[in-house]
């Protein structure tokens, strides 16, 4: 990206750690976000207040809610496809058993995603 920006239309940066996570936190967070009535939401602050019992840290709520976009003419939408993410949380939390952790030290996931 940095060397030839004219060749890249868009890029995805993935920050990941090569371990499996067994926590259901991602599942619970996605479920809570899907329960938000974003069609009738008045503000991002209202969304934050509604999520406060589930996501205690305000900084985490703000980070997650940065993906909540206001639509012209009113209403809100998620930047990402939250329904698809919620269907694949086990895959997202997982890490392939057949990839040795030592081999990931030289992998640049950013380069892989940009070049494929």
């Amino acid at each position: 990206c940095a060397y030839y920006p004219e060749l890249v239309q868009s890029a995805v940066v993935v920050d990941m750690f090569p371990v499996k996570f067994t926590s259901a936190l991602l599942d619970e967070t996605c479920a809570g976000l899907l329960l938000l009535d974003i069609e009738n939401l008045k503000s991002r602050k209202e969304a934050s207040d509604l999520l406060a019992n589930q996501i205690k840290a305000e900084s985490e709520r703000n980070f997650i809610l940065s993906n909540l976009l206001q639509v012209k003419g009113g209403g809100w939408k998620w930047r990402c496809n939250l329904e698809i993410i919620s269907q694949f949380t086990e895959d997202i939390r997982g890490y392939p058993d057949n990839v040795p952790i030592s081999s990931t030290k030289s992998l640049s996931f950013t380069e892989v995603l940009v070049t494929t």
Side-chain angles (χ1 to χ4, degrees):
C1 290
Y3 297 116
Y4 304 101
E6 68 278 3
L7 298 177
V8 179
Q9 183 176 4
S10 62
V12 175
V13 178
V14 177
D15 182 7
M16 56 189 288
F17 192 72
V19 296
K20 286 187 179 181
F21 291 93
T22 57
S23 168
L25 181 62
L26 180 60
D27 304 88
E28 294 165 4
T29 301
C30 284
L33 296 175
L34 286 170
L35 288 175
L36 279 179
D37 182 10
I38 61 173
E39 292 180 20
N40 296 307
L41 203 58
K42 306 264 188 292
S43 66
R44 189 175 278 116
K45 168 82 168 91
E46 180 184 4
S48 179
D49 292 344
L50 292 169
L51 291 170
N53 286 333
Q54 182 179 3
I55 305 169
K56 303 292 184 203
E58 184 178 9
S59 60
E60 289 179 32
R61 287 195 312 274
N62 289 339
F63 175 73
I64 291 169
L65 291 173
S66 68
N67 288 287
L68 186 62
L69 305 175
Q70 196 163 21
V71 179
K72 288 182 183 178
W76 298 83
K77 71 176 187 173
W78 290 107
R79 181 186 317 263
C80 56
N81 191 333
L82 193 54
E83 290 183 17
I84 293 295
I85 291 172
S86 68
Q87 289 176 25
F88 292 95
T89 56
E90 187 174 333
D91 293 325
I92 294 168
R93 284 192 328 261
Y95 191 80
D97 291 328
N98 61 348
V99 177
I101 291 176
S102 62
S103 72
T104 61
K105 290 179 183 174
S106 62
L107 264 182
S108 167
F109 290 102
T110 305
E111 290 176 4
V112 170
L113 289 170
V114 169
T115 59
T116 56

